[in-house]
Structures are given as structure tokens and as C-alpha cells.
């Protein structure tokens, strides 16, 4: 058995953990995390408004469609009106050409850039990340996002 221990020790994988020099987001007691809890639709509506007025100038949410917000942030009528203010490229039409039309409630939220190259060009070579799945993409994503949005402060004098 001593030989088996030596062999297993030789092939043991070193367990790694997160570095202590990383600042982790502060954990918050989210009200929607409990069993039989729900989201605060007013907060979601305000968050979507912040996205539209601030974040959407650089970031996309390409995996979100207007229809997914019905009854969550806005009414169907509000979202139909909101979508109709945006022009989307569609087609090809009967003549084989692409054309622009007002967005429908079934369309994705618009991207600020026509393609990734335009996004990189406008941002010094870095493509701003799509925010559709940001909460799922980060460790403790809700805390990360909250800390990111509320962590800005005035620079020191």
C-alpha cells in the first residue's frame, strides 16, 4: 500500500484557488434570490432605462428581444412603439436587395455598431462586450454588475 500512496502522490493535481490579490465584489442580500421570490419590475425598468441612455451607446444586448421585456419592464404597446423608433436591416426583398424597416417586437435590441470591426475602431481596438449574459459570465455576477455600476466616483483632486 505504501507504493500505491507514492504513485498517487506523484500524480496528485495541485488544487488552485482564486488569488488573494483580486478584489471581489461585495455580496449583497438580493431580495429576488430566495425561494418563491420575484424581481422588482420597477427596478428592472429603471435598469433598462439606464442601459438605453448610457450603456447602449457602446454595448449591445444582442440576445435580448423586445418581446422578452413585455410585462417585465414595459407593456406590449410601449415596446411596440419603442421598437418602431429603430431601423433594422432586413431582406433580401423581392428584388434581391437588403432594405431597412422599422423594428418589430420580435427583433433583437439594436447594436450600436454595424459590425465588430466598427466597434473596435470606435473604441481604440477593444470591442465593448455584449451585456446580454454578463451576470452569468462573471463570478457572483449580480454583485459584480452592481459594484461596477455603483463603483464610479469622482477622481481625486
Amino acid at each position: 500500500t505504501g507504493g500505491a500512496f507514492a504513485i498517487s502522490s506523484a500524480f496528485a493535481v495541485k488544487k488552485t484557488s482564486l488569488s488573494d490579490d483580486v478584489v471581489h465584489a461585495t455580496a449583497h442580500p438580493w431580495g429576488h434570490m430566495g425561494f418563491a421570490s420575484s424581481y422588482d419590475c420597477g427596478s428592472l425598468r429603471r435598469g433598462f432605462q439606464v442601459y438605453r441612455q448610457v450603456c447602449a451607446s457602446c454595448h449591445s444586448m444582442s440576445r435580448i428581444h423586445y418581446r422578452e421585456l413585455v410585462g417585465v419592464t414595459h407593456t406590449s404597446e410601449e415596446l411596440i412603439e419603442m421598437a418602431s423608433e429603430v431601423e433594422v436591416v432586413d431582406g433580401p426583398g423581392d428584388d434581391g436587395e437588403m432594405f431597412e424597416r422599422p423594428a418589430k417586437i420580435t427583433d433583437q435590441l439594436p447594436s450600436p455598431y454595424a459590425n465588430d470591426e466598427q466597434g473596435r475602431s470606435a473604441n481604440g481596438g477593444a470591442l465593448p462586450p455584449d451585456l446580454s449574459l454578463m451576470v452569468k459570465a462573471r463570478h457572483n455576477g449580480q454583485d459584480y454588475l452592481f459594484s461596477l455600476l455603483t463603483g464610479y466616483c469622482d477622481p481625486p483632486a
Side-chain angles (χ1 to χ4, degrees):
T1 60
F5 176 74
I7 292 173
S8 66
S9 297
F11 293 104
V13 177
K14 182 180 177 186
K15 184 178 178 181
T16 59
S17 60
L18 295 175
S19 174
D20 290 336
D21 63 347
V22 175
V23 178
H24 297 284
T26 304
H28 297 280
W30 300 106
H32 62 273
M33 295 298 288
F35 183 72
S37 297
S38 63
Y39 290 111
D40 176 5
C41 290
S43 292
L44 292 174
R45 185 179 179 110
R46 289 187 299 276
F48 182 67
Q49 188 67 26
V50 169
Y51 167 76
R52 287 187 66 208
Q53 292 178 344
V54 180
C55 308
S57 61
C58 297
H59 297 275
S60 61
M61 285 206 304
S62 62
R63 297 182 187 269
I64 307 292
H65 296 78
Y66 288 103
R67 68 175 178 257
E68 295 165 346
L69 302 174
V70 173
V72 179
T73 61
H74 296 80
T75 65
S76 182
E77 293 77 23
E78 289 173 322
L79 288 166
I80 290 171
E81 181 182 340
M82 189 184 304
S84 69
E85 297 170 357
V86 177
E87 293 289 318
V88 295
V89 176
D90 200 359
D94 294 336
D95 58 357
E97 298 295 323
M98 301 301 281
F99 59 92
E100 288 190 355
R101 63 165 174 79
K104 301 175 187 174
I105 199 166
T106 56
D107 289 320
Q108 298 171 336
L109 294 177
S111 175
Y113 307 110
N115 53 48
D116 288 353
E117 290 75 25
Q118 185 184 30
R120 284 187 182 92
S121 175
N123 292 283
L127 181 64
D130 181 89
L131 300 180
S132 303
L133 301 173
M134 189 56 65
V135 169
K136 292 181 180 182
R138 298 289 189 264
H139 179 69
N140 294 333
Q142 296 171 18
D143 296 325
Y144 168 83
L145 188 58
F146 181 80
S147 297
L148 181 67
L149 291 173
T150 60
Y152 291 99
C153 58
D154 293 330

